[in-house]
Each structure stands twice: as structure tokens, then as C-alpha cells.
Amino acid sequence: MEWTPEPHELADLELLLSGAFDPLTGFLGHDDLHAVHESGTLADGTPWPAPVTLHLPVEVSPGDEVTLLDPEGLPLAVLTVTAQEPDGLTSGPVKALGAPEHGPFARLRRTPAEVKEELGGRPALAVTMRGPLDDLSEIVDTAKELDAVIMLLPLSYGEPGPAIVRAALRAKDQLPDGTIVVSVPLAPRAEPEIDLELREHVATAYGATEHLAGPEPVSIPGPPHRRGLVVFFTGLSGSGKSTIARGLRDALLELGTRTVTYLDGDVVRQLLSKGLTFSKSDRDLNIRRIGFVAAEAARHGGLAICAPIAPYAATRAEVREMVESVGADFLLVHVATPLEECERRDRKGLYAKARAGLIPEFTGISDPYEEPDDADLVIDTTHMTIDAAVSQVLGTLRSGGWIR
């Protein structure tokens, strides 16, 4: 079978294949994982600080081979399964199928073996970075004391990755000649102590005789009116969400202070999601596609307005995560007009067809609508004009600082 791992799993896979996670040769199983949590070692006593795991949502058996793909479908490695737990935790060694393709600063993604060859046995001071280096004097002084080559290891995982590598290259220009920069896609661990230990292991794998951890970056978000925002309307068919969303779009365009992208559920289904059915899996896929496009718009500081039905809480949560993972804000608006009122309006005749059994899996009739318990704004349009509803959303945007 073939499988595309999650981004942090792909980053760990690259480090497994390159030798940066030496002595690991594959993803950890239950016994090793338990030992890591309990004592900071593998099951055989070898020191190792952090879980390196893979979860597969499909059942596999020992001896099965799984081809691990990148997000574009390029085969990266083969995992030979040694065990799988009920929660999908799958362990086993991995074998590379070819050199991975990289994006920005590909020339700086080097293996430990390549870096050690360049060092030629010279001592090296490794500096792992998750942000800019404000003070280089300690690095210079330590390197002089050790008579060591300085090796900057920008930990280039995820969205901040290119900026961290650029910061390393700027620092190199101010450091002694011969300073080495190597981009390492190490995903951060939640616990700072474990993250630091793992950074030390990786630095050692690259030939470091001494390790300094760069300071953690201080994240100061820009003002709300400069940040990306997704306004995500959810509600039953006929609740008024699309009309409110269009009204909000028009009002924002009149203001002219934000770049606006409008993603209406019906329009998306005609274009981006043409051919999808109304099964749960296809509904989820449709919402994920909307969320992806909205997050891309918000990534660059835009304001995206979405108005699908989005009946399932888990999928709405996925979209929120997509948006927040690119540094943007997410505002969930539940247009909570009751089913009876939506059915009374029934401008498209959809409820009547659903009641007659002509439309299967129709939200509110033969398919559930999971009301959100995390909505940032709730609007019932039963006794409210569209203009009043739009004004209420605009008021929320103003009070939150997203528009001026």
C-alpha cells in the first residue's frame, strides 16, 4: 500500500533516512516508545529523548511493506512493518527510494555524512536555531576557545522554515570564514526539555563536539487588521448564511481596507468540487478544499469569507487548524436559524424533495447537522433582516480589530 504521512512525520522520515536520527533506523514501536517516555532511552537502554512515530489509519500486518509518499505523490521510502497498535501506531525500519526533493534552500539540506566529510575531523560548534541569533559574541568566543568550526543548523520545519534559514545566512555573514550552514527539518517537540535534548542528538549526528541552542523566537503578532482572517459561516440550507456572507463581502469591498476572497458553497461545488457527491466523505473533502483555499488567501494577509453548510464539527475543526497553522485568525459564525424556519423558506424546494425521498443524505432531514459549540458569533435570522445580520458581523470584525 501507499501512504502520505503527516508533515511532522515526513520531517522525521527525512531525518531517519539521512542519518540525523542515528541510531534510529525506523519509526518506534510500543516498547521503545514506552521506554522513551519513562526513562529517555530505547527499550535496549540506548539513550533517546523523543518519540519518533508514524500512525497509519489502515490495518497492516508484520512483514507488510508500505510506500511512504510526499504530498505530491513522490515515493520517498519503504516501511517494512514490524508491529501495529490498535490506535494505528505503526513501527518498522525505513529504506530510502531515492533522494528527496526539497523546496527553498535545497542546496543547504545535507546529510550528516556529507557534513562530517567536509569537517574532516575538525571540532565543530553546532548552533541549532528556531529563530534569529541576536547576539553572536558567545558563539564566536566559544568557537575560539574550542578552536572549532561554527556550524549553524537552522531548524527549518514548517512555515517559518525559510525565514529561519535566511536568518542563519545573515548570521554567517557576520561570523568567521568557514562557518557552515545546514538546513535541518526538525519538527519542534511540545516539551522544551525534550526538544533541546533532541536538538543535541541531531547536532552530534552532524559531527558537533559542542552544542549551543539558539534562543527561542519571540513571536509578536501583527495588529489584527494586518493579519489574515477567515470568516467561516456554517448553518442549514436556507438559514441565510450565503446571503449574509455576500452582504459582508459587499460591505468589505465598499470599505476597501481588506483584500477579500469569497467562497460560497454552491459556487465551490460547481468549480473546485465538481463531481463530488453529498456522502459524508465527499462533504468532508469539499469543506477541506474550501478550508485550504481560504487558508492560502489568509496566509498572505487576505480576508476570506466561506459559506458552506459544513455540518460536521470535526471537519470545521480541521479548517480552523489549517487557518491557524499559517498564522491567520479564524472566526466561526453559526447562522442558527431553526430547521422549521429554513424549511418554511425553502426557496430552492430542496426540503420538499428531501421529505419526499428524492434527495438522500440531506442535512437536517436525513443527515445530521452538528451545531457548533465553539462559534465566535451566533445569528438567528428568523426575525432579523439581512442588513442587521451583516451589521452584527461587521461589528464583531471591528471590535476584534480586523477592520477599521
Side-chain angles (χ1 to χ4, degrees):
M1 66 166 287
E2 296 180 333
W3 179 250
T4 301
E6 295 296 318
H8 70 280
E9 295 171 334
L10 284 171
D12 284 351
L13 174 64
E14 181 175 339
L15 298 177
L16 285 168
L17 297 175
S18 74
F21 274 175
D22 181 66
L24 300 191
T25 58
F27 290 102
L28 301 182
H30 175 271
D31 291 346
D32 282 326
L33 192 58
H34 178 74
V36 165
H37 285 304
E38 290 297 315
S39 59
T41 69
L42 302 177
D44 64 3
T46 302
W48 188 259
V52 177
T53 58
L54 175 73
H55 283 79
L56 296 180
V58 293
E59 186 174 342
V60 291
S61 301
D64 287 352
E65 292 190 341
V66 181
T67 301
L68 302 177
L69 311 175
D70 74 3
E72 296 181 0
L74 178 71
L76 297 176
V78 170
L79 165 73
T80 302
V81 176
T82 55
Q84 185 180 51
E85 302 302 318
D87 64 355
L89 176 73
T90 306
S91 58
V94 290
K95 181 180 179 181
L97 291 176
E101 294 187 4
H102 300 299
F105 302 109
R107 67 189 182 279
L108 301 178
R109 295 277 262 267
R110 303 167 63 193
T111 68
E114 292 169 340
V115 174
K116 286 179 177 177
E117 183 177 357
E118 180 177 349
L119 289 172
R122 293 175 295 168
L125 170 64
V127 183
T128 54
M129 302 170 53
R130 291 208 186 276
L133 299 171
D134 298 325
D135 182 6
L136 302 179
S137 59
E138 180 185 3
I139 296 171
V140 173
D141 292 344
T142 304
K144 282 183 179 179
E145 181 182 336
L146 298 171
D147 191 22
V149 177
I150 297 172
M151 178 167 52
L152 301 181
L153 301 179
L155 305 178
S156 55
Y157 173 77
E159 290 294 323
I164 297 172
V165 178
R166 288 194 296 271
L169 292 173
R170 288 194 299 270
K172 178 186 178 183
D173 291 339
Q174 304 173 57
L175 291 169
D177 291 342
T179 295
I180 300 171
V181 177
V182 182
S183 175
V184 181
L186 180 64
R189 268 47 184 185
E191 297 180 38
E193 297 84 359
I194 290 177
D195 189 66
L196 177 59
E197 286 187 50
L198 188 57
R199 288 160 71 167
E200 291 178 348
H201 272 264
V202 170
T204 300
Y206 274 94
T209 48
E210 190 75 23
H211 170 244
L212 289 177
E216 291 300 305
V218 178
S219 178
I220 304 176
H225 70 278
R226 295 187 184 276
R227 293 204 299 268
L229 172 67
V230 173
V231 183
F232 193 94
F233 290 89
T234 176
L236 295 169
S237 177
S239 62
K241 63 187 180 305
S242 294
T243 309
I244 300 170
R246 285 195 298 270
L248 177 64
R249 174 202 62 187
D250 295 345
L252 291 173
L253 291 175
E254 289 180 16
L255 284 172
T257 58
R258 298 292 306 240
T259 300
V260 179
T261 300
Y262 175 60
L263 298 166
D264 178 68
D266 291 337
V267 175
V268 167
R269 275 200 170 269
Q270 293 173 15
L271 300 172
L272 187 65
S273 296
K274 187 174 183 179
L276 293 185
T277 69
F278 286 90
S279 67
K280 185 180 188 305
S281 61
D282 276 5
R283 285 172 186 246
D284 285 343
L285 178 57
N286 178 54
I287 300 306
R288 290 189 189 101
R289 288 178 177 178
I290 291 173
F292 173 77
V293 174
E296 287 300 298
R299 179 199 301 270
H300 304 291
L303 190 155
I305 303 169
C306 313
I309 292 174
Y312 307 120
T315 318
R316 294 192 299 261
E318 284 186 49
V319 174
R320 184 187 288 273
E321 172 62 25
M322 282 185 205
V323 173
E324 293 179 346
S325 70
V326 302
D329 296 330
F330 184 84
L331 187 76
L332 182 63
V333 181
H334 178 203
V335 184
T337 308
L339 174 63
E340 296 75 15
E341 176 63 17
C342 296
E343 194 165 0
R344 185 190 67 77
R345 296 172 182 176
D346 203 14
R347 290 177 294 178
K348 300 177 183 178
L350 299 177
Y351 284 100
K353 291 180 181 179
R355 292 287 187 190
L358 301 176
I359 303 178
E361 299 175 304
F362 189 84
T363 301
I365 303 299
S366 52
D367 207 60
Y369 176 79
E370 299 173 359
E371 294 199 0
D373 57 10
D374 59 342
D376 302 287
L377 178 63
V378 179
I379 300 174
D380 181 348
T381 64
T382 304
H383 303 295
M384 179 184 289
T385 67
I386 294 300
D387 285 346
V390 171
S391 294
Q392 194 168 343
V393 180
L394 283 171
T396 300
L397 296 185
R398 285 196 178 94
S399 64
W402 288 295
I403 60 173
R404 289 180 163 182

